[in-house]
Amino acid sequence: METLALPPQATQVGLAVDVAAFAMHGGELQVLLVQRGELPHARDWALPGGFVHPGEDLHEAALRELRTETSVTLEPRHLEQFYTFGAPGRDPRGRIVSVAHLAVLAHGTVDVTGGGHTLGAGWFPAHRPPALAFDHAAILARALGRLRVRLDYAHLALEFLPDTFTLPELQRVHEAILDRPLDKRNFRKRLLAQGLLVPSGERRSGVGRPAQLYRRAKGAKAAAL
Amino acid sequence: METLALPPQATQVGLAVDVAAFAMHGGELQVLLVQRGELPHARDWALPGGFVHPGEDLHEAALRELRTETSVTLEPRHLEQFYTFGAPGRDPRGRIVSVAHLAVLAHGTVDVTGGGHTLGAGWFPAHRPPALAFDHAAILARALGRLRVRLDYAHLALEFLPDTFTLPELQRVHEAILDRPLDKRNFRKRLLAQGLLVPSGERRSGVGRPAQLYRRAKGAKAAAL
DNA sequence: ACAAAAGTGTTAAACCTACACCCATGT
DNA sequence: ACATGGGTGTAGGTTTAACACTTTTGT
């Protein structure tokens, strides 16, 4: 079987992955961007990404690009392919098809620096990003849409937080992703009714009344897509 | 810009599209399959698909493969990319990445014959398909999942029917996609409450009381994804 | 007249939304 | 004591699910 040849009509294209990686910082939803060091679009900001290696899975490639183009070394809490961008003119270097991925990074993934052939890396407000290279603005917009859908559905909001967290913190994650305020009482009722959260100790924040800490209930895994 | 070269690390892969095309026949949800005429998997059934041409959009490629591998000449009523399959070992001929598409064909698209290098084409029960080539069983399973999600959401069920249709016919589409029975009264209430359907003339079916015909309300376009 | 499929309403439970005040802590 | 943010309940409207009989036609 290994000896079968590709048929002649098989278009060869460059295969890339791009990653829209999100995290919460300062109560805001932020997206991780890198500053390109090479043409085309040198010095422009872009989503981390690059070419898939031979024999490498798409998922692995996305993980690798995240690690090598930024200083992020921990595994993302969530990584999911969400759309493939393949319009013929999208990259001036030729036919390059990019499989876009959505990643959620653990809380505390703050320090990012460039790696590989990037000039730097940084966090930017996900809903108000700077100008982006290629068609990355469209990719980011679609990533945000997918993130919104996943909120209800799976328990993806928890992946933005440490193992233990307070309900107000979780609410801020939801609000940041939806980009609108939510009612505190209704939010609590809904989340606690789902039975995925169990209380633990107590905690004092810097200011105000201390909040109850929760962790995800054992045996609560994210729903299938 | 056109003169920029692909960087050396750009893996070249074969780029393909596969199409899971659905229609209703005999009250059942059916999927369109072709019988392969070439190695690998000669004589096995597979989703229609093939290599993207240079300069061709993914969407166009999916339309073309549908036309040339089967006798389907009308535009699909719906065509949407839903997932990209790129595991290194999925095709014995080498690294081939397939962007999978979901299509809905108009009611009455019955006669299908093979084209191109296929031995034939035919309709099969979508929920109980025959053995399929490559990883096409996984592709089909995911297509069915997406179809289910789109039911609620957009008004995709209407695309399975002719311009005018009865409510029991529409209900059968929903039931076929969900693969479970629905309550007649609740179904009607829900659908009519959406205000997307307007009644027209009357119609007699072969047997039993004739059913009211409906058409989609003017100005009701499918919701965005 | 009978067989076959279309059509029709009500009720209970669950869910969603809006809304305002008291509580526990640090300074 | 006061500023800060955490925590709590209720009522109205909407949505969902379960459920059985009558109507219209063709044979």
Side-chain angles (χ1 to χ4, degrees):
Chain A
M1 279 294 197
E2 276 293 349
T3 59
L4 283 167
L6 275 181
Q9 76 275 19
T11 312
Q12 296 284 104
V13 305
L15 181 64
V17 289
D18 286 306
V19 184
F22 298 98
M24 290 290 298
H25 289 141
E28 239 201 321
L29 181 68
Q30 312 253 44
V31 63
L32 180 56
L33 300 177
V34 299
Q35 193 174 25
R36 290 180 56 84
E38 300 180 349
L39 286 173
H41 291 287
R43 310 197 68 78
D44 283 358
W45 291 95
L47 298 173
F51 292 101
V52 176
H53 289 176
E56 186 182 46
D57 197 10
L58 300 173
H59 192 91
E60 289 171 38
L63 289 172
R64 178 180 49 73
E65 288 294 342
L66 205 53
R67 270 197 299 269
T68 59
E69 291 215 326
T70 70
S71 58
V72 173
T73 52
L74 337 74
E75 289 272 299
R77 304 284 299 261
H78 179 84
L79 180 65
E80 167 191 4
Q81 172 201 329
F82 69 90
Y83 200 75
T84 296
F85 294 80
R90 64 179 291 280
D91 192 308
R93 291 168 292 182
R95 188 70 190 273
I96 296 178
V97 170
S98 175
V99 182
H101 288 71
L102 163 64
V104 176
L105 298 184
H107 185 81
T109 311
V110 181
D111 302 316
V112 290
T113 61
H117 17 271
T118 66
L119 299 178
W123 291 104
F124 293 83
H127 294 288
R128 286 109 194 144
L132 296 178
F134 305 110
D135 53 357
H136 287 193
I139 297 179
L140 174 56
R142 207 178 256 263
L144 286 168
R146 178 62 64 104
L147 197 50
R148 237 173 284 129
V149 167
R150 284 278 177 270
L151 253 200
D152 276 19
Y153 218 135
H155 322 193
L156 194 52
L158 300 183
E159 310 300 352
F160 281 89
L161 295 172
D163 285 350
T164 62
F165 50 88
T166 67
L167 279 180
E169 282 164 0
L170 184 56
Q171 183 173 347
R172 263 172 247 128
V173 175
H174 282 249
E175 289 175 333
I177 291 174
L178 298 174
D179 205 19
R180 69 185 166 88
L182 296 173
D183 181 89
K184 198 175 13 166
R185 284 173 283 192
N186 295 335
F187 180 79
R188 272 165 184 270
K189 250 178 298 174
R190 195 158 49 80
L191 267 284
L192 293 176
Q194 281 168 223
L196 306 172
L197 268 36
V198 299
S200 56
E202 183 100 5
R203 172 200 173 188
R204 68 196 43 182
S205 51
V207 73
R209 172 175 173 177
Q212 174 64 256
L213 283 170
Y214 291 84
R215 64 181 75 246
R216 75 188 309 162
K218 214 167 81 95
K221 243 350 252 166
L225 26 144
Chain B
M1 279 293 197
E2 277 292 349
T3 59
L4 283 169
L6 276 180
Q9 77 276 21
T11 311
Q12 296 282 104
V13 304
L15 181 65
V17 290
D18 286 306
V19 184
F22 297 98
M24 289 291 295
H25 289 141
E28 240 201 320
L29 182 69
Q30 311 253 44
V31 62
L32 181 55
L33 300 177
V34 298
Q35 193 175 24
R36 290 180 56 83
E38 299 180 349
L39 286 173
H41 291 287
R43 309 198 67 80
D44 284 358
W45 291 95
L47 298 173
F51 293 101
V52 176
H53 289 177
E56 186 182 46
D57 197 9
L58 300 173
H59 191 92
E60 288 171 38
L63 289 171
R64 179 180 49 73
E65 288 294 340
L66 204 53
R67 270 196 300 270
T68 60
E69 291 215 325
T70 71
S71 58
V72 174
T73 52
L74 335 75
E75 289 270 301
R77 304 284 298 261
H78 179 84
L79 180 65
E80 167 191 4
Q81 172 206 123
F82 70 89
Y83 200 76
T84 296
F85 294 81
R90 63 178 292 279
D91 192 308
R93 291 169 291 183
R95 188 70 190 270
I96 296 177
V97 171
S98 175
V99 182
H101 287 72
L102 163 63
V104 175
L105 298 185
H107 185 81
T109 312
V110 181
D111 302 315
V112 290
T113 61
H117 17 272
T118 66
L119 299 178
W123 291 104
F124 293 82
H127 294 287
R128 286 108 194 148
L132 296 178
F134 305 109
D135 53 357
H136 287 193
I139 298 179
L140 175 56
R142 207 178 257 264
L144 286 168
R146 178 63 64 103
L147 196 52
R148 237 173 283 131
V149 168
R150 284 281 177 267
L151 254 199
D152 277 18
Y153 219 135
H155 322 219
L156 193 52
L158 299 183
E159 309 300 352
F160 281 88
L161 294 172
D163 285 350
T164 62
F165 50 87
T166 67
L167 280 181
E169 283 165 0
L170 184 56
Q171 183 174 344
R172 263 171 247 127
V173 175
H174 282 248
E175 290 176 332
I177 291 173
L178 298 174
D179 204 19
R180 69 182 167 89
L182 298 174
D183 181 89
K184 197 171 22 161
R185 284 172 285 192
N186 293 335
F187 180 79
R188 272 165 184 272
K189 252 178 296 175
R190 193 159 49 81
L191 267 284
L192 292 175
Q194 281 168 225
L196 307 172
L197 268 35
V198 298
S200 56
E202 184 99 1
R203 174 200 173 188
R204 67 196 44 183
S205 50
V207 71
R209 173 173 171 176
Q212 176 63 259
L213 284 170
Y214 291 83
R215 64 180 76 247
R216 74 188 311 161
K218 216 169 81 99
K221 244 349 253 168
L225 28 143

